[in-house]
Amino acid sequence: MKTLLVILLLINVSQHASAVELYEGDSFILPCQFDTSRLFDPTVVWSRSDLSPPTVHQRQLQGDELKDQNQRYSGRTSMKTDALETGDLSLNLTNLQLSDSATYTCSIRDFGDELSRSDVQLQVKERFPSWARALLVLLVLLVVSGGLLFYFRHYFMSGECLLLHYP
Ligand SMILES: *[C@@H]1O[C@H](CO)[C@@H](O)[C@H](O)[C@H]1NC(C)=O
């Protein structure tokens, strides 16, 4: 019975270790690979279908094409400069927000025809969950009020002490 419990615990621990934990403010590389070296007019589009406009980042032979980029990703995305030569089309997303949690699509087009499409899931967590913040506020209040009580204890107890000493 005990052994079983230990094994179950170990399984639980290893499952937790394998999951990628991302928090607000972190950066993350969204992976995408495709051999674009033989394409004539390649375009790589990272997008989120739940947003309008959906474009997160766009790369063409001339370079980044960000005029259709969704405002909330402004200045937070980058791809390697030689991405279209090496086929490493991964997107570096910085300063993660809770609202970045979504499914991202990496789409490769040539002359407008879609050649490939792959999805990456991203889950961003709060660095300090609200219950932890509430607990911290409560602790500070407790310490402060305790300190005040201790500091002004003479005011609260003086009457009582007089009574005790001079009955
Ligand atoms: C992602 O971009 C940020 C900001 O430009 C940079 O500091 C960071 O090193 C990049 N990450 C990787 C793995 O290239």
Side-chain angles (χ1 to χ4, degrees):
M1 189 61 200
K2 239 182 196 165
T3 330
L4 185 67
L5 196 69
V6 169
I7 290 173
L8 282 177
L9 273 176
L10 279 178
I11 291 173
N12 205 7
V13 164
S14 63
Q15 274 175 349
H16 276 284
S18 63
V20 183
E21 301 248 305
L22 290 167
Y23 294 96
E24 288 171 291
D26 288 349
S27 51
F28 184 65
I29 307 283
L30 297 156
C32 182
Q33 303 270 339
F34 191 83
D35 183 9
T36 43
S37 58
R38 265 173 247 130
L39 304 182
F40 288 106
D41 182 27
T43 302
V44 181
V45 182
W46 277 98
S47 62
R48 253 180 83 169
S49 56
D50 60 325
L51 290 184
S52 172
T55 305
V56 172
H57 195 95
Q58 182 164 328
R59 168 66 63 87
Q60 291 166 215
L61 276 183
Q62 304 92 300
D64 286 334
E65 174 53 74
L66 301 177
K67 69 171 169 20
D68 292 332
Q69 185 184 44
N70 191 294
Q71 275 297 312
R72 65 169 86 186
Y73 290 97
S74 175
R76 296 201 292 129
T77 58
S78 60
M79 287 172 71
K80 290 187 175 160
T81 32
D82 56 358
L84 290 175
E85 289 95 78
T86 63
D88 177 5
L89 312 174
S90 304
L91 182 74
N92 181 353
L93 186 56
T94 61
N95 190 16
L96 289 177
Q97 323 272 309
L98 285 181
S99 57
D100 290 343
S101 302
T103 301
Y104 292 77
T105 304
C106 172
S107 152
I108 294 103
R109 298 173 196 158
D110 196 17
F111 291 114
D113 291 333
E114 186 167 79
L115 304 177
S116 166
R117 165 184 280 260
S118 58
D119 286 345
V120 184
Q121 294 252 10
L122 185 62
Q123 179 69 50
V124 184
K125 293 179 178 177
E126 233 175 332
R127 206 174 279 279
F128 293 110
S130 43
W131 63 263
R133 263 179 289 180
L135 198 69
L136 196 71
V137 168
L138 207 67
L139 270 175
V140 168
L141 279 178
L142 266 176
V143 168
V144 167
S145 56
L148 283 175
L149 270 177
F150 183 74
Y151 191 76
F152 292 110
R153 65 190 181 284
H154 303 294
Y155 295 96
F156 296 116
M157 300 205 305
S158 51
E160 217 175 316
C161 292
L162 281 174
L163 278 177
L164 281 174
H165 286 279
Y166 308 100

